[in-house]
Amino acid sequence: MTRVQLLTDATTQPLRDQVPDGCALVIFGASGDLTRRKLVPALYALAHDGLLPGRFVAVGLARREKSHQVFRDEMRAAVDQFSRLRPLKPEVWDRLAQRLYYVSASFDDAAGYERLRAFLVDADREHGTAGNRIFYLATPPVAYASIVDRLGAAGLVSDAWDGPRGGDATGKGQGWSRIIIEKPFGRDLSTARALNADTHKVFRERQVYRIDHYLGKETVQNILTFRFGNSIFEPLWNRRYVDHVQLLVSEDLGVEGRGEYYDTAGAVRDMVQNHMLQLLSLVAMEPPATFEPDAVRDEKVKVLRAIRPVDLTRAGSVTIRAQYVSGSQGGRKIPTYADEPGVAEGTATETYAALRLEIDNWRWAGVPFYLRTGKALPKRVTEVAIQYRQPPLLLFAHAEHPRHEERDVIEPNRLTLRIQPDEGISLRVGLKPPGPRISLVPARLGFVYRDTFGVDPAEAYERLLLDCMLGDSTLFIRRDEVETAWALVTPVLEAWAAAGRSGLASYPAGSWGPTEADRFIQADGREWVNP
Ligand code: BG6
C-alpha cells in the first residue's frame, strides 16, 4: 500500500492543549470489568502523558469492604495487564496511586453516600479538587436511576455544569457536577426516556455525558476531519456519486462468558443502536457550522431523524437476524451460542444482524446504508465502505476483474475507512497494468495510521475522560440522539421478540454470517465487502 508522507514534522499531538480543572472522579462499580480493563488504564495513560489535572482524585466505589491500599494494588495489576503503555512506569503509577481511593458503599444505602460526601469534602481540602465532581456510572444499568436519585438526595450534585478554568485551590465554593453514563442507555425507547427523565430530576442536560466509546476512537473522529478538512471528497459524498454505503462491525470472539448480559441484549441493542448508528451519523451528517458540541450533535441527530422507519412487513429484505452455531475460528472451537453459560433455553437473541437503512434527505435519498454486525465472525474489523457508482461507460471491455467470469464489469471506486484494527483509509481505483493492452486492474491508494504517525492511536476512554473533565460534550450522546436511535430500532426489536425463533437464521461460528444475509444484499444487485 502507498505510504502517506506527512508534510509537517508533527507526527502526533497532545490529546488536548488545555489542562482540566481540578476535580474528583467517582467511579460507581469500581470492582467491575470496565474499571479494571478501561477506566483505570485510561487514567494511567493520561497521567503518563501529563494530561491529568494537578489537583485530582479518583475514588472507586463498590460494595465490598477494602482498604485504599488493596484497591490500589488491584488497580496496579489491572494497569499491568491492560494498559497500552506497558511496561508500567513505577514513578507514573506512584503519582496516580497517591490520588486513587476507595469508598465502600452499597448503591442504595444512604449512609454510603454520606461517607462519600465526607470523603469528597476532605479531598477538596487535601487535594484542592474545588467541589468539582464527575460521577461515572460503570455499574449494571439497573442501578443507574437509584444512584442518580441518591446522589441528588445526598446533596452531592451542584447545579453548575462548568466553572472557572483552573478550579479553586481553596476547596471553597460549590464547584461543578457532571455525570458519565455507560451504555446500555435503556433497552428500548420507553426505558431510555424513563432513564432520561430520572437523570433530569437531578442533572441538567449540559451535565450529562452519555458515553459511546466508539466516538472516542481516533479513527472515528478522523471521519469528520477527513470529510470536512479536505475539499475533494465532500463534493462526491452524496447520492449523485455514491451507490451505497456499508458499515461493518465484525467480532471474531463469541460471547466469552458474557452470555448472561448478552442474551438480554443481542446484536442490535449491543452494537447497532449505539456504536453503528453513531458511525452512520458521522458518515452521513451535513457539515456543522462550528465544532461546538451542540452544532455537531444537531447535525448528527438530523441524520438519525431522517432515517426511514424500517418496513417491518419486509423483514428478510430489510433486516436479517441470526445466531451462531458451533464452528471454528482461527483454529479455536467456538461452542453454539445457545449452549453458552448464562444463555436462556430456547433463546431467540440475535448474535448477528444486518439492516438496510434509507436516509430520506436531499443528500442520501436512494442510497442504501447496509449495517452488519456479528459475534463469532472470521475477523475483528470495523470499517465503513463507501461504494461509488460504476463509471458511465465501459470503455475498457477487457478490464481484469477478480471475478473473472464478469469481464465486462469494472470494480467501482470504493473508499474504505478502517476504524480498527490497522486503522487507516484506502481508496480503490482502476489502473492500467504494464503491457501493450489497455486494461484495468483494481489498485489501492492508502494511508495506514501506524505507518504514518509511528504510533498506535490512544484508547477511546482516555479521550472521553479527558473531554468530560474539560466540559466538552461533543463526543457524547445527547438526549435526543439516544431517544431517536431507540425510536428507530425499538419496533424492529419488538417485531423480532414477537416472532421468537421464527425468522431467526443461523451461521457457523467463523463464517461471514448466514446465507440469508448474502441473498439479502444480492437481491439489490450488490455484494458484502468482506475485509
Ligand atoms: C461493547 C459491546 O459496547 O463494544 C461488546 O458491549 C463489544 O459486546 C464491544 O465487544 C466492542 O468494542 P471494541 O472497542 O472492541 O470494538
Side-chain angles (χ1 to χ4, degrees):
M1 186 173 291
T2 321
R3 210 189 137 133
V4 171
Q5 193 186 356
L6 287 178
L7 301 179
T8 76
D9 288 340
T11 48
T12 58
Q13 45 160 359
L15 265 173
R16 296 295 284 246
D17 43 16
Q18 264 175 331
V19 178
D21 298 350
C23 64
L25 169 69
V26 182
I27 302 174
F28 287 85
S31 48
D33 244 21
L34 187 74
T35 305
R36 275 180 341 115
R37 284 175 184 267
K38 300 289 181 189
L39 302 182
V40 176
L43 290 177
Y44 172 79
L46 291 173
H48 178 277
D49 294 344
L51 292 167
L52 278 185
R55 297 189 291 265
F56 174 78
V57 289
V59 193
L61 202 126
R63 189 164 312 156
R64 220 167 303 146
E65 294 278 345
K66 71 179 80 147
S67 66
H68 299 310
Q69 194 50 46
V70 167
F71 182 59
R72 288 173 188 153
D73 292 345
E74 288 170 0
M75 292 303 113
R76 181 181 175 134
V79 172
D80 252 334
Q81 190 179 353
F82 298 113
S83 171
R84 72 181 170 90
L85 299 170
R86 280 169 295 167
L88 172 148
K89 289 189 184 154
E91 66 285 6
V92 176
W93 173 256
D94 289 346
R95 256 186 289 131
L96 177 63
Q98 286 161 15
R99 299 187 277 168
L100 198 56
Y101 294 92
Y102 183 81
V103 169
S104 140
S106 135
F107 302 141
D108 49 10
D109 164 23
Y113 291 77
E114 273 315 310
R115 282 200 297 284
L116 175 63
R117 193 148 73 114
F119 174 87
L120 290 173
V121 169
D122 282 351
D124 286 343
R125 220 178 9 246
E126 274 174 40
H127 293 277
T129 40
N132 296 329
R133 293 145 182 23
I134 297 175
F135 301 103
Y136 197 122
L137 304 193
T139 63
V142 287
Y144 292 171
S146 95
I147 295 176
V148 168
D149 180 57
R150 301 266 173 193
L151 282 172
L156 276 158
V157 180
S158 85
D159 264 1
W161 63 274
D162 205 355
R165 293 267 160 239
D168 173 358
T170 64
K172 292 196 194 107
Q174 241 204 327
W176 47 251
S177 299
R178 300 177 189 147
I179 186 163
I180 304 182
I181 306 181
E182 262 297 331
K183 72 170 269 267
F185 195 93
R187 52 174 286 108
D188 53 20
L189 179 58
S190 65
T191 48
R193 279 189 178 143
L195 181 54
N196 274 327
D198 287 338
T199 309
H200 279 257
K201 286 181 194 150
V202 179
F203 292 90
R204 292 188 288 165
E205 180 60 23
R206 300 206 69 165
Q207 299 175 288
V208 182
Y209 291 70
R210 296 175 195 80
I211 208 162
D212 183 314
H213 77 280
Y214 267 57
L215 292 181
K217 291 181 191 272
E218 284 279 336
T219 37
V220 170
Q221 294 153 41
N222 214 2
I223 296 174
L224 295 187
T225 42
F226 182 76
R227 287 189 58 195
F228 303 132
N230 296 288
S231 54
I232 63 170
F233 297 104
E234 204 42 35
L236 311 179
W237 209 269
N238 57 52
R239 61 191 295 274
R240 270 193 298 285
Y241 300 96
V242 176
D243 177 73
H244 73 279
V245 178
Q246 293 191 23
L247 284 88
L248 168 70
V249 181
S250 73
E251 296 189 278
D252 52 354
L253 300 179
V255 290
E256 307 276 318
R258 287 170 79 222
E260 206 172 320
Y261 151 74
Y262 195 85
D263 205 43
T264 62
V268 167
R269 287 193 171 91
D270 192 48
M271 301 296 287
V272 176
Q273 182 274 338
N274 35 67
H275 308 324
M276 296 196 79
L277 288 178
Q278 285 298 318
L279 277 178
L280 180 148
S281 64
L282 295 176
V283 170
M285 70 189 254
E286 296 301 317
T290 68
F291 261 93
E292 290 299 308
D294 279 334
V296 173
R297 297 185 299 177
D298 286 346
E299 295 306 332
K300 284 168 60 200
V301 77
K302 275 193 224 162
V303 173
L304 296 175
R305 287 199 195 110
I307 299 175
R308 189 185 304 167
V310 177
D311 181 354
L312 297 169
T313 61
R314 296 181 59 220
S317 2
V318 290
T319 63
I320 295 284
R321 62 187 168 120
Q323 214 177 61
Y324 65 82
V325 293
S326 71
S328 67
Q329 158 53 265
R332 240 167 30 105
K333 191 126 180 59
I334 298 190
T336 296
Y337 170 72
D339 298 338
E340 292 276 7
V343 170
E345 207 168 315
T347 175
T349 300
E350 78 288 358
T351 59
Y352 173 101
L355 276 81
R356 180 192 201 276
L357 298 178
E358 300 267 358
I359 303 177
D360 285 334
N361 66 16
W362 197 266
R363 186 190 284 260
W364 294 116
V367 179
F369 280 66
Y370 297 97
L371 276 53
R372 192 168 43 129
T373 184
K375 299 270 185 204
L377 298 183
K379 283 184 182 165
R380 175 175 179 260
V381 177
T382 298
E383 66 180 33
V384 178
I386 320 265
Q387 173 99 26
Y388 286 90
R389 289 180 186 277
Q390 285 279 357
L393 285 176
L394 296 178
L395 291 177
F396 309 105
H398 297 294
E400 286 184 20
H401 190 279
R403 298 190 303 272
H404 283 287
E405 71 283 7
E406 300 171 41
R407 281 188 158 269
D408 55 343
V409 181
I410 297 181
E411 292 276 310
N413 295 128
R414 181 192 297 146
L415 181 72
T416 306
L417 309 173
R418 172 63 74 88
I419 308 298
Q420 63 188 17
D422 307 325
E423 293 79 358
I425 296 175
S426 71
L427 178 63
R428 186 174 68 182
V429 292
L431 294 177
K432 181 190 165 304
R437 275 193 312 140
I438 294 275
S439 65
L440 204 65
V441 290
R444 233 175 256 281
L445 306 177
F447 138 75
V448 177
Y449 193 99
R450 188 183 309 114
D451 292 351
T452 304
F453 294 117
V455 289
D456 286 322
E459 284 271 338
Y461 281 93
E462 297 169 31
R463 171 65 190 264
L464 295 174
L465 281 172
L466 183 64
D467 277 7
C468 179
M469 290 181 210
L470 288 165
D472 182 344
S473 53
T474 314
L475 300 177
F476 292 83
I477 317 287
R478 208 168 55 186
R479 175 182 192 159
D480 50 355
E481 286 182 87
V482 80
E483 291 185 6
T484 310
W486 275 122
L488 179 73
V489 301
T490 299
V492 177
L493 291 168
E494 286 171 354
W496 288 357
R501 288 186 62 89
S502 126
L504 178 71
S506 67
Y507 60 103
S511 72
W512 276 112
T515 49
E516 285 82 346
D518 296 334
R519 289 204 290 275
F520 155 100
I521 192 162
Q522 282 157 4
D524 288 354
R526 302 186 174 105
E527 295 281 348
W528 293 122
V529 179
N530 289 333

